Amino acid sequence: MQMQAATTTTAARRLAPKPQPQANRCRPSSVSVVAAGRSRRRSARSSLRASASLDQEVKERASPAAGKSGQATRRDVRNIAIVAHVDHGKTTLVDSMLRQAKVFRDNQVVQERIMDSNDLERERGITILSKNTSITYKGTKINIIDTPGHSDFGGEVERVLNMVEGVLLVVDSVEGPMPQTRFVLKKALEFGHAVVVVVNKIDRPTARPEFVVNSTFELFIELNATDEQCDFQTVYASGIKGKAGLSPENLGDDLGPLFEAILRCIPEPRIEKDGALQLLVSNTEYDEHKGRIAIGRLHAGELQRGMEVKVCTPDDACRISKISELFVYQNFSRVPVDNVSAGDICAVCGINDIMIGETIADKVSGTPLPTIKIEEPTVRMSFSINTSPFVGKEGKYVTSRNLRDRLYRELERNLAMKVEDGETADTFLVSGRGTLHLTILIENMRREGFEFMIGPPKVINKTVDGKLQEPYEIAAVEVPEEYMGSVVELLGKRRGQMVDMQPSGPEGTTLLKYKIPTRGLIGLRNAVLTASRGTAILNTIFDSYGPWAGDLSSRDQGSLVAFEDGSTTSYALLNAQERGILFVSPGQDVYKGQIVGIHQRPGDLAINVCKKKAATNVRSNKETTVVLDEALSYSLDDCIEFIQEDELVEVTPASIRMCKNPKVSKKNR
């Protein structure tokens, strides 16, 4: 009988997070006849299975064993994550939600995209780190997690999804579901979360809400969503205007319909109030006064300030620590509290060696929760100390010890990144989700005062059954029809295979979808912009590993290389600019081996950019006027995409230079 009761309890817990009546309260407000028909056919196919499951659920809930599990719900809390493709308006929507929840004073000056507090986020206009906030609506606390939209930061999305019970899937009213939309929705459905679809930017003149809702429904079907998940609620909104409604033609005066949909469709947190303490650390922050701060959702029990806890690692190793301070998220700040009940998201201080993925558990009977699993990285770059003649002139941290400590410190928070020792003691191999993922790390390090060199990005291949496989990605390109031929030719040269082509929102724009090796994406963004006169939009997302596609060339032009140290002169640059496009202007210091321009032909060319005009005793009646072309300015991202196998990027707090790799050059000789 005890074994039967335990089995019944386990089944009840498994079924409890997704009660059937809860899902049925939310229905799409505007789905076409085709989509609705498919939903009915899908429901009809599983009607017998659903009936059987419901009967079994009722029996298990009625059994005495199910009542002893201690599970309950917190009706005063909702935990949601806002997920979407990049530039679909997540952070702007959160801004409006915060304003209408009276988080700020009426006379308080609030900048746009208040959640993007990082300097790099504000400069680039993207969200890089996931952040927590909360609002209160009709007595219910809504914990909100704003997540990145770029595919390279998918690890941020993956590790915060276990803190929530539902997601707001924000979709642009013109573009519809994009590659990153598919990724974040797939992860949310795997967790079994409830989904509220928000069709944002509904006030755009070219908005097509019916197409967007149908495309989103098709995406649910492709990702094998359950019938309950396909029965999603749709809310139409304009994040910048702060309006929402259940139909595109009838928006309310505020975001009230969106808040109501959250309370109605996102399930309450299911907790074990009397169970043993369990909190899975999903994020960490650092404060100069409080030290490391662990952030996570309390799954069971009650956490109190000053209590001793057991910190469990995924390999079942445990240690005893003490909670010094406790915080919960209230409006736009952290508020100190004495205790936190299960179901809420909180921040914990006092455990200086806490790591993401560890469990804060009860000191006596605590057990670890399943650790956070992140998809493997696909791109690798080498980091090494600066060996150029200008080493130490602009940076503060230049040694291999400084570089090593900083890279391994990054692993404490960035779970999607890996660091390995290289061939030499001063070289390290850093792996990430993409070039942008690694570029953000490089940019942060140079702003912190580091000087180092980085090699070209390389994809991480695998060998399966004796065959070499490489990562493939889905590239979606929106391009005007007049430039479509050039873009198609460019993608074909990079071993891309077209999987779809359809008209996009604005008239005369086509959406191309390609399956292309990750190798082919390196340097592709600038090439696509050049081929389309700056009008194309490129988005990518990792797809899978596939057979090696063969050799491909990413750059047809060589480099112009300085062959002596010195300062550039107008006289020398006048002759040098006939050989290609220059990166340097008169008066700049250069060194032997530095890349000073792009050669107009394949292969490298060594040139003298420091040559001075010979002085003679012949008087000239008129000085020769030198007209130089403007030097080409490359950003860090451009430099990383530009360099080839035998080249490096020198990164300092004040400068970004490119040079030939002397080690590779000697081998080639």
Side-chain angles (χ1 to χ4, degrees):
M1 291 296 292
Q2 292 179 354
M3 184 178 298
Q4 183 178 0
T7 305
T8 308
T9 302
T10 305
R13 289 183 180 180
R14 187 173 63 251
L15 289 169
K18 294 186 288 186
Q20 190 83 7
Q22 177 77 30
N24 287 338
R25 290 185 301 171
C26 302
R27 296 190 177 276
S29 58
S30 176
V31 180
S32 72
V33 177
V34 176
R38 288 177 178 172
S39 179
R40 286 194 297 269
R41 290 197 298 270
R42 184 177 175 86
S43 300
R45 288 196 302 267
S46 58
S47 58
L48 294 176
R49 175 171 54 83
S51 300
S53 300
L54 185 59
D55 292 342
Q56 183 180 0
E57 182 181 353
V58 171
K59 291 179 181 178
E60 290 177 346
R61 288 185 176 182
S63 65
K68 298 178 182 180
S69 63
Q71 289 221 348
T73 60
R74 284 195 61 177
R75 298 184 178 276
D76 61 334
V77 174
R78 299 291 190 279
N79 300 315
I80 62 170
I82 300 185
V83 298
H85 186 79
V86 63
D87 285 339
H88 279 199
K90 299 182 304 300
T91 307
T92 305
L93 183 63
V94 174
D95 281 358
S96 296
M97 295 173 71
L98 291 172
R99 287 191 178 94
Q100 295 189 17
K102 302 299 181 182
V103 171
F104 310 109
R105 301 189 312 271
D106 293 337
N107 62 344
Q108 184 174 349
V109 178
V110 182
Q111 60 186 358
E112 291 184 358
R113 304 196 322 274
I114 185 66
M115 295 294 287
D116 287 346
S117 55
N118 186 290
D119 290 339
L120 270 178
E121 292 179 323
R122 303 202 65 82
E123 291 175 15
R124 293 175 176 256
I126 60 175
T127 302
I128 298 174
L129 304 174
S130 59
K131 302 173 189 67
N132 296 65
T133 187
S134 76
I135 60 175
T136 302
Y137 181 77
K138 291 186 177 181
T140 301
K141 179 182 179 182
I142 303 176
N143 288 309
I144 302 173
I145 304 178
D146 185 24
T147 63
H150 200 284
S151 58
D152 284 25
F153 309 111
E156 291 282 320
V157 181
E158 291 178 75
R159 62 183 173 81
V160 302
L161 285 179
N162 59 40
M163 289 198 289
V164 300
E165 285 76 37
V167 298
L168 296 186
L169 180 67
V170 182
V171 186
D172 189 281
S173 63
V174 177
E175 296 180 352
M178 297 296 284
Q180 182 69 3
T181 310
R182 182 186 185 92
F183 172 79
V184 295
L185 179 59
K186 176 184 176 183
K187 293 300 177 182
L189 295 178
E190 288 176 356
F191 275 88
H193 291 332
V195 181
V196 175
V197 176
V198 181
V199 181
N200 197 24
K201 304 182 183 180
I202 197 64
D203 54 331
R204 294 180 64 176
T206 56
R208 41 181 186 169
E210 186 175 354
F211 166 80
V212 171
V213 172
N214 289 333
S215 300
T216 306
F217 179 82
E218 293 288 346
L219 184 59
F220 272 76
I221 297 298
E222 291 176 16
L223 296 177
N224 297 320
T226 64
D227 296 335
E228 293 78 16
Q229 289 171 329
C230 289
D231 198 12
F232 55 82
Q233 171 72 57
T234 304
V235 179
Y236 303 89
S238 172
I240 196 167
K241 292 183 177 180
K243 296 181 179 181
L246 298 182
S247 66
E249 299 83 10
N250 186 20
L251 296 184
D253 297 330
D254 53 20
L255 294 176
L258 176 60
F259 292 134
E260 292 291 342
I262 293 174
L263 298 184
R264 185 174 67 254
C265 301
I266 303 299
E268 302 93 351
R270 297 199 67 85
I271 59 174
E272 293 187 27
K273 188 174 182 180
D274 300 328
L277 174 67
Q278 281 184 320
L279 183 147
L280 181 65
V281 179
S282 301
N283 199 358
T284 59
E285 295 180 1
Y286 184 80
D287 185 270
E288 293 182 358
H289 305 288
K290 298 180 177 62
R292 189 173 298 179
I293 302 173
I295 301 171
R297 174 176 170 257
L298 188 58
H299 290 264
E302 186 177 19
L303 198 59
Q304 298 177 353
R305 183 166 62 90
M307 73 182 300
E308 290 189 343
V309 295
K310 182 164 59 175
V311 180
C312 302
T313 61
D315 54 359
D316 293 335
C318 298
R319 60 189 186 277
I320 302 298
S321 297
K322 186 176 181 179
I323 305 298
S324 62
E325 291 186 81
L326 268 179
F327 297 89
V328 294
Y329 290 91
Q330 184 174 329
N331 295 336
F332 198 63
S333 59
R334 284 197 293 255
V335 179
V337 293
D338 292 330
N339 55 70
V340 178
S341 301
D344 207 349
I345 296 175
C346 63
V348 179
C349 302
I351 311 175
N352 292 327
D353 57 349
I354 192 72
M355 302 286 288
I356 295 176
E358 294 183 336
T359 301
I360 299 176
D362 184 75
K363 181 180 178 181
V364 179
S365 58
T367 56
L369 290 165
T371 188
I372 301 172
K373 294 183 179 180
I374 304 293
E375 291 189 3
E376 293 294 318
T378 57
V379 176
R380 176 187 293 129
M381 295 173 65
S382 64
F383 286 52
S384 59
I385 60 172
N386 191 0
T387 56
S388 78
F390 296 163
V391 59
K393 290 186 177 181
E394 301 172 352
K396 182 179 179 182
Y397 307 106
V398 296
T399 65
S400 60
R401 180 177 58 83
N402 297 140
L403 185 60
R404 179 188 180 88
D405 292 346
R406 176 62 180 85
L407 290 176
Y408 278 94
R409 192 165 68 247
E410 182 70 18
L411 297 182
E412 296 176 0
R413 192 187 188 283
N414 203 331
L415 295 188
M417 192 171 286
K418 290 186 177 181
V419 177
E420 306 169 90
D421 293 335
E423 297 179 355
T424 60
D426 56 6
T427 304
F428 306 93
L429 300 178
V430 183
S431 305
R433 286 285 186 86
T435 54
L436 180 62
H437 188 198
L438 299 176
T439 301
I440 295 299
L441 169 64
I442 296 168
E443 184 64 37
N444 283 326
M445 290 177 63
R446 73 181 284 251
R447 296 186 181 200
E448 294 168 9
F450 283 86
E451 251 189 46
F452 54 98
M453 285 185 164
I454 51 179
K458 300 178 181 178
V459 299
I460 301 175
N461 300 319
K462 291 182 178 180
T463 302
V464 180
D465 297 331
K467 296 181 179 180
L468 183 63
Q469 292 192 345
E470 64 175 330
Y472 281 78
E473 301 197 23
I474 297 296
V477 187
E478 289 186 53
V479 59
E481 291 182 358
E482 57 264 34
Y483 303 118
M484 190 171 64
S486 302
V487 173
V488 168
E489 181 182 3
L490 181 62
L491 291 168
K493 289 182 179 179
R494 305 234 175 180
R495 305 284 183 175
Q497 297 179 353
M498 184 183 293
V499 295
D500 190 19
M501 181 175 67
Q502 59 184 4
S504 186
E507 293 184 3
T509 303
T510 304
L511 177 63
L512 305 173
K513 288 188 179 181
Y514 274 78
K515 184 175 182 179
I516 185 172
T518 304
R519 288 182 299 137
L521 293 176
I522 299 174
L524 179 63
R525 193 174 303 275
N526 284 335
V528 167
L529 289 174
T530 302
S532 63
R533 305 290 179 88
T535 58
I537 300 174
L538 172 65
N539 294 290
T540 61
I541 187 69
F542 173 74
D543 182 59
S544 61
Y545 273 81
W548 177 261
D551 296 331
L552 56 89
S553 60
S554 59
R555 201 175 93 193
D556 298 329
Q557 297 170 312
S559 302
L560 297 177
V561 185
F563 70 67
E564 69 174 2
D565 301 347
S567 181
T568 58
T569 64
S570 300
Y571 177 74
L573 295 179
L574 180 63
N575 296 323
Q577 70 181 9
E578 298 177 359
R579 304 289 187 177
I581 304 174
L582 298 179
F583 294 141
V584 293
S585 302
Q588 289 187 8
D589 292 332
V590 297
Y591 56 84
K592 182 179 179 180
Q594 180 179 337
I595 298 175
V596 295
I598 306 174
H599 192 201
Q600 59 189 3
R601 293 188 178 91
D604 298 336
L605 178 66
I607 59 173
N608 189 352
V609 292
C610 304
K611 185 178 180 180
K612 297 180 180 179
K613 186 176 182 180
T616 66
N617 58 356
V618 178
R619 175 182 289 183
S620 175
N621 293 329
K622 183 180 179 182
E623 290 293 332
T624 305
T625 302
V626 176
V627 180
L628 295 176
D629 298 333
E630 185 177 356
L632 183 62
S633 178
Y634 263 11
S635 65
L636 176 61
D637 304 69
D638 297 331
C639 291
I640 291 176
E641 291 189 345
F642 178 80
I643 59 174
Q644 291 189 328
E645 192 71 24
D646 60 340
E647 296 169 347
L648 298 170
V649 177
E650 177 190 356
V651 179
T652 71
S655 307
I656 299 174
R657 309 181 188 93
M658 293 178 286
C659 64
K660 304 301 289 186
N661 189 345
K663 298 179 181 179
V664 177
S665 301
K666 290 178 181 178
K667 291 180 182 179
N668 293 339
R669 292 173 192 167

